[in-house]
Amino acid sequence: MIDKLTNKELEKIVKHIGETYRKSVLRREINAGIMQINENSKAYKNDSDFIFAIDCYLNECSRDTKCIIENEYLKKKESLWYLDYYTKSTYYRLKKKAIIEFINCMNL
């Protein structure tokens, strides 16, 4: 299936995963901050399971993929964060590979 998707479509998938990940982290932090954690709560469990799964998939990726996916999609850093790590051309080349590697780790 992944072979039939364009780079733009693949990036859209990873962006959606990143948005969902950040929302899950935020909800979990808010619940912890206001002491409303009910570990039996379905929403809390779903958020925790999703965060755990994404973190596990990410740990299976290469160092560059982990850096790019984490900073570009999961943590949503400033737009030029990559200049501390890569040249612009290297970043864009590695970004395409990172998206494919990350999605492959999830067996999508």
Side-chain angles (χ1 to χ4, degrees), residues 16-68:
H16 179 72
I17 290 167
E19 289 168 8
T20 304
Y21 182 90
R22 287 190 308 279
K23 287 176 185 176
S24 293
V25 168
L26 180 61
R27 273 192 304 264
R28 202 168 68 165
E29 287 175 359
I30 289 170
N31 286 332
I34 58 176
M35 306 302 265
Q36 289 187 349
I37 297 174
N38 177 357
E39 293 191 15
N40 294 326
S41 158
K42 187 174 182 175
Y44 182 85
K45 183 174 177 357
N46 288 344
D47 286 338
S48 295
D49 289 348
F50 182 75
I51 293 165
F52 178 76
I54 296 302
D55 290 344
C56 286
Y57 295 138
L58 200 57
N59 284 330
E60 293 299 312
C61 294
S62 68
R63 187 180 56 154
D64 286 328
T65 292
K66 186 175 181 177
C67 178
I68 291 168

Side-chain angles (χ1 to χ4, degrees), residues 5 8-9 12 27 34 47 55 60-61 66 70 76 84 95 108:
L5 298 174
K8 215 172 208 175
E9 291 168 329
K12 190 173 181 178
R27 273 192 304 264
I34 58 176
D47 286 338
D55 290 344
E60 293 299 312
C61 294
K66 186 175 181 177
E70 209 169 62
K76 202 67 169 167
D84 291 336
K95 182 179 169 185
L108 293 177

